[in-house]
Amino acid sequence: QVQLVESGGGLVQAGDSLRLSCAPSGRTFSNYAMGWFRQAPEKEREFVAVITPGGTTNYGGSVKGRFTISRDNAKNTVYLQMNDLKFEDTAVYYCAASKRVFVVRPVDYDYWGQGTQVTVSS
């Protein structure tokens, strides 16, 4: 059974940093684009970042310059480094995998994790 397991969420203050991890199990995702999305209460799921198998990245406008996505294919793990966190970054963060390249829509992703909560106090 294929699973994506996120970790690293928590409660932080505005201006702090967090690093999220996504560790797939059941198969290797080295040939998949890996993305991060987030969803705040009563809001739609929002694209945060994506990294292609080759390491090319793309970011949502609200996080560009503050968040960095990376991947370690040897460890089959994807990371999201979040710096200068703001109250509006509060959400459940989801890791996802796609066979397509450079995708930003949730519908284009094939596998999803259960999410990890990030709460930023102002």
Side-chain angles (χ1 to χ4, degrees):
Q1 183 178 355
V2 176
Q3 284 187 311
L4 299 178
V5 180
E6 303 97 336
S7 61
L11 172 63
V12 296
Q13 294 184 334
D16 286 351
S17 298
L18 273 179
R19 188 176 80 159
L20 306 183
S21 298
C22 173
S25 64
R27 67 177 301 155
T28 178
F29 283 86
S30 59
N31 293 326
Y32 283 68
M34 300 298 295
W36 286 96
F37 289 78
R38 67 186 183 186
Q39 190 164 18
E42 300 182 357
K43 291 190 176 181
E44 294 187 352
R45 194 162 293 191
E46 176 189 13
F47 168 73
V48 174
V50 63
I51 186 166
T52 68
T56 302
T57 58
N58 189 27
Y59 297 91
S62 61
V63 308
K64 195 172 294 184
R66 300 187 297 122
F67 291 11
T68 302
I69 188 171
S70 62
R71 68 192 298 162
D72 185 337
N73 287 334
K75 296 183 178 179
N76 207 29
T77 302
V78 178
Y79 304 97
L80 184 68
Q81 178 67 42
M82 306 185 294
N83 297 330
D84 190 24
L85 283 161
K86 305 178 185 302
F87 174 76
E88 50 266 36
D89 294 320
T90 297
V92 177
Y93 283 71
Y94 297 91
C95 173
S98 175
K99 296 178 182 178
R100 302 160 185 83
V101 178
F102 235 55
V103 288
V104 301
R105 301 184 307 167
V107 68
D108 290 325
Y109 282 77
D110 306 293
Y111 301 99
W112 289 87
Q114 294 299 308
T116 184
Q117 177 71 46
V118 172
T119 303
V120 184
S121 62
S122 58

